[in-house]
Amino acid sequence: MTSTTPRVRTGRITFFVALAVFAQESTWNLYDSQVPPLLREHVASAALIGALMGMDNLLGIFIQPWMGNRSDGTRTSWGRRIPYLVVGMPVAALLFVLIPHAAVSLPLLILVMFSYALVANSFKPIAESLLPDFIGPERRSRANAAVKIASSITVIVAALISIFLIDEFPKLSFAIPAVLMLVSVGVLAWRVRDSKSPAYQAALEEDRAEVDAGPRVRMRDVLLDIVRDADRSRLLVILAVFAFGGAWFASRSLVTNYGMEALGLSRGDAGGLTLPSGVAFIAAAYPVALLAERFGRLRVILTGMTVFAAAMVLGTIVRTPTGTVVAMCVAAAGASAFMVNMAVVLWNLAPSARVLGTYTGLYTVGWSAGGFVGPALVGGMVDVTGWPFMLLDVGLVTAIAVLLVARVAVLQRRSPDSW
């Protein structure tokens, strides 16, 4: 967005992007919180539960960049993103409602989980790509902070459902996020036409300038450009996203079982352990965006990751329900620095407006790959060390991500103009 663009337009599109992400995450957060106990009724191994919970992220590795790239090359009167959302979100909502009903048998539950993950992953990067389509590089951290706040609100929604509804209405509870998704997609279809976005218009200009090349940039060419880049910054960013994504998803996917096994809580109370952390994330998200604009995104990201790791150590030392809640709050505040700013780092490194969706897909590939490997890895560590040390295991995975971002920071100091 240029400086002459009315601010109301920036705020308006930020709201709609936040709404789209809220619709998706309202289902994903309840999925992460309450599907593990459904699996636990059939599976005893924490590592296997972690692997099954990471299945959606494994699918995302293949689906998300392909769909992001496909949407980059789409040209319609609605734009290149909205048509996919209008089709995919209602189907995902229906499949999500079916999950608790399928828990009567493990094969049926896995089938429905797979189907939901397949559809939901297909439009996840598409919704998130709306933000860099409309918002210019200098304002993306603030806009992404608003989107992440909306995402964090869904953590609170999922926790409230776990505390007040899941024990008495285990099947009906899944319908609430599904309805939120349907309402959200209705508003998006009514109000948003991303064919008017600056990035879409820039992509059309590039199409006209390169008539023979066509609107789509091949995924293979994008990947080769990143891998062959002597700077390695983009590749290291994706690897850091992978590592921290593993730590984050492990802390979320396994926390309900951790509360039940290590703290002696009921399923509903254990599922509510993340409720206060959602508030902590909301409180930290916008300030870390402002701090990133003032002091540098990578510096703020490194600080936040260190805080996250320290919180995992704190939760291990103070192994009580209260101690765990405090640790999760501190960790969420630290994680916000990464989650608000790292996607912006990668967007700003994109060489063309025609590949913003592809770069969003690559970001989510790193995040999803971490989400697949992380819970299984930490679950395997738990099988060895026991549930009381689960949070410490998460902290060890976080340390790897800290080292990767530290390396990117060194590259930033060598070529600051590229950031």
Side-chain angles (χ1 to χ4, degrees):
M1 303 287 286
T2 65
S3 59
T4 58
T5 303
R7 297 184 66 180
V8 64
R9 182 172 177 80
T10 300
R12 176 177 176 271
I13 196 60
T14 299
F15 169 78
F16 287 125
V17 174
L19 182 65
V21 173
F22 175 86
Q24 297 176 62
E25 294 300 320
S26 63
T27 59
W28 279 120
N29 276 294
L30 191 65
Y31 180 94
D32 288 337
S33 174
Q34 293 304 329
V35 171
L38 296 178
L39 291 170
R40 188 168 172 264
E41 296 176 2
H42 304 280
V43 178
S45 169
L48 183 54
I49 291 175
L52 290 171
M53 286 303 298
M55 174 178 61
D56 59 287
N57 295 292
L58 178 63
L59 288 171
I61 294 172
F62 301 99
I63 297 171
Q64 292 184 15
W66 181 76
M67 288 299 296
N69 182 255
R70 185 174 182 84
S71 70
D72 278 339
T74 299
R75 303 289 184 263
T76 73
S77 60
W78 264 2
R80 53 184 177 176
R81 319 290 187 199
I82 296 299
Y84 294 97
L85 300 179
V86 170
V87 173
M89 292 173 73
V91 175
L94 175 61
L95 291 168
F96 186 76
V97 170
L98 295 177
I99 289 175
H101 298 276
V104 293
S105 72
L106 182 61
L108 183 59
L109 176 59
I110 293 175
L111 176 62
V112 176
M113 288 171 60
F114 177 87
S115 300
Y116 165 74
L118 184 68
V119 176
N121 270 301
S122 68
F123 59 81
K124 183 176 175 63
I126 295 173
E128 295 173 359
S129 297
L130 287 170
L131 191 146
D133 279 350
F134 280 92
I135 310 297
E138 70 283 355
R139 302 285 294 183
R140 285 173 181 169
S141 283
R142 299 186 188 192
N144 202 36
V147 171
K148 295 304 179 183
I149 287 172
S151 176
S152 186
I153 291 174
T154 67
V155 176
I156 299 175
V157 171
L160 289 173
I161 292 173
S162 294
I163 293 171
F164 294 110
L165 296 176
I166 201 72
D167 288 332
E168 295 186 14
F169 307 101
K171 295 180 180 178
L172 181 62
S173 298
F174 279 72
I176 297 174
V179 171
L180 292 175
M181 182 178 284
L182 292 175
V183 172
S184 298
V185 72
V187 173
L188 287 170
W190 176 38
R191 301 294 296 174
V192 178
R193 297 292 183 272
D194 68 283
S195 57
K196 300 178 181 179
S197 72
Y200 186 83
Q201 295 300 317
L204 292 180
E205 289 295 330
E206 292 185 41
D207 292 347
R208 286 189 282 268
E210 301 179 30
V211 177
D212 295 335
R216 290 189 63 182
V217 178
R218 294 185 304 173
M219 173 63 69
R220 178 175 178 272
D221 294 334
V222 174
L223 293 175
L224 287 176
D225 179 52
I226 292 173
V227 172
R228 292 173 178 174
D229 185 4
D231 182 73
R232 301 295 185 190
S233 295
R234 291 174 292 176
L235 182 60
L236 288 172
V237 166
I238 295 171
L239 291 175
V241 171
F242 165 75
F244 190 75
W248 174 259
F249 276 100
S251 72
R252 294 286 160 169
S253 297
L254 300 177
V255 70
T256 300
N257 286 1
Y258 171 80
M260 297 168 68
E261 298 290 345
L263 304 179
L265 300 176
S266 69
R267 175 183 168 185
D269 289 340
L273 286 171
T274 58
L275 174 58
S277 68
V279 178
F281 189 102
I282 291 172
Y286 198 74
V288 298
L290 298 179
L291 289 171
E293 291 178 2
R294 181 172 181 179
F295 299 107
R297 291 188 174 93
L298 291 179
R299 184 177 297 176
V300 171
I301 288 169
L302 271 172
T303 302
M305 295 167 69
T306 303
V307 169
F308 182 89
M312 295 297 101
V313 176
L314 171 65
T316 303
I317 296 173
V318 187
R319 197 165 54 248
T320 64
T322 300
T324 301
V325 168
V326 171
M328 296 300 286
C329 287
V330 175
S336 68
F338 186 98
M339 296 167 69
V340 165
N341 292 299
M342 190 56 95
V344 178
V345 169
L346 194 57
W347 284 331
N348 291 354
L349 289 172
S352 166
R354 291 199 295 173
V355 296
L356 284 173
T358 306
Y359 269 57
T360 303
L362 291 174
Y363 177 89
T364 54
V365 160
W367 193 249
S368 297
F372 172 70
V373 175
L377 175 62
V378 173
M381 295 167 74
V382 167
D383 286 341
V384 175
T385 63
W387 281 105
F389 294 97
M390 190 271 285
L391 297 180
L392 182 61
D393 295 336
V394 172
L396 292 175
V397 176
T398 306
I400 299 173
V402 171
L403 293 175
L404 289 167
V405 176
R407 175 58 183 166
V408 177
V410 171
L411 294 174
Q412 177 190 18
R413 287 195 293 270
R414 292 178 180 175
S415 55
D417 291 341
S418 66
W419 295 81

